[in-house]
């Protein structure tokens, strides 16, 4: 059984910062791409950032220069450092990961963490 557990969400003022964490646990052989998605009310879930096991990153245009994704492979954890937050960044943030448990890679999702940017 594999679980992804997120933490670090909350309420922050515009221009502020938050750091999200997502730790994978369970019967894990290896982890491929890890990523963060977000979903605002009434909108579709969208990719925010992704990172390969080798550290290659990809960002949505809306967060480039403000957000930084990183990972600690020894801890099976992915992070999202969010700076210069804007009200339009308000959403539920989900992490996901492609995880190999012995029967092939499968995509797993966290439960989501709320980020609210408001004065």
């Amino acid at each position: 059984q594999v679980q992804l557990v997120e933490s670090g969400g909350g309420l922050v003022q515009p221009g502020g910062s938050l750091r999200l964490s997502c730790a994978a646990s369970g019967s894990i052989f290896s982890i491929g791409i890890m990523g963060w998605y977000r979903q605002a009310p009434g909108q579709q879930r969208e990719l925010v950032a992704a990172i390969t096991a080798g550290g290659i990153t990809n960002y949505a245009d809306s967060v480039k220069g403000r957000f930084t994704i990183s990972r600690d492979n020894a801890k099976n954890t992915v992070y999202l450092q969010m700076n210069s937050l804007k009200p339009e960044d308000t959403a539920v943030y989900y992490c996901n990961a492609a995880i190999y448990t012995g029967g092939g890679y499968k995509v797993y999702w966290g439960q989501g963490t709320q980020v609210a940017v408001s004065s």
Side-chain angles (χ1 to χ4, degrees):
Q1 188 78 6
V2 173
Q3 282 189 320
L4 298 181
V5 178
E6 298 133 339
S7 60
L11 174 64
V12 64
Q13 292 187 340
S17 298
L18 282 175
R19 188 190 194 212
L20 306 182
S21 299
C22 173
S25 63
S27 301
I28 298 171
F29 281 67
S30 66
I31 302 178
I33 292 176
M34 303 183 83
W36 288 96
Y37 288 71
R38 66 187 180 187
Q39 187 167 19
Q43 299 196 18
Q44 290 187 332
R45 191 173 296 189
E46 63 174 0
L47 174 67
V48 175
I51 184 168
T52 68
I56 298 173
T57 58
N58 182 45
Y59 295 93
D61 288 343
S62 59
V63 306
K64 283 181 181 176
R66 300 188 298 122
F67 291 10
T68 302
I69 189 170
S70 62
R71 64 191 282 172
D72 184 331
N73 291 329
K75 295 182 179 180
N76 291 335
T77 299
V78 62
Y79 306 96
L80 186 68
Q81 178 66 44
M82 305 185 293
N83 299 328
S84 303
L85 282 160
K86 305 175 181 180
E88 50 263 44
D89 294 318
T90 295
V92 178
Y93 284 69
Y94 299 90
C95 71
N96 88 342
I99 298 176
Y100 185 78
T101 60
Y105 278 95
K106 180 181 175 182
V107 176
Y108 293 85
W109 289 89
Q111 80 285 359
T113 185
Q114 178 72 52
V115 171
V117 184
S118 175
S119 55

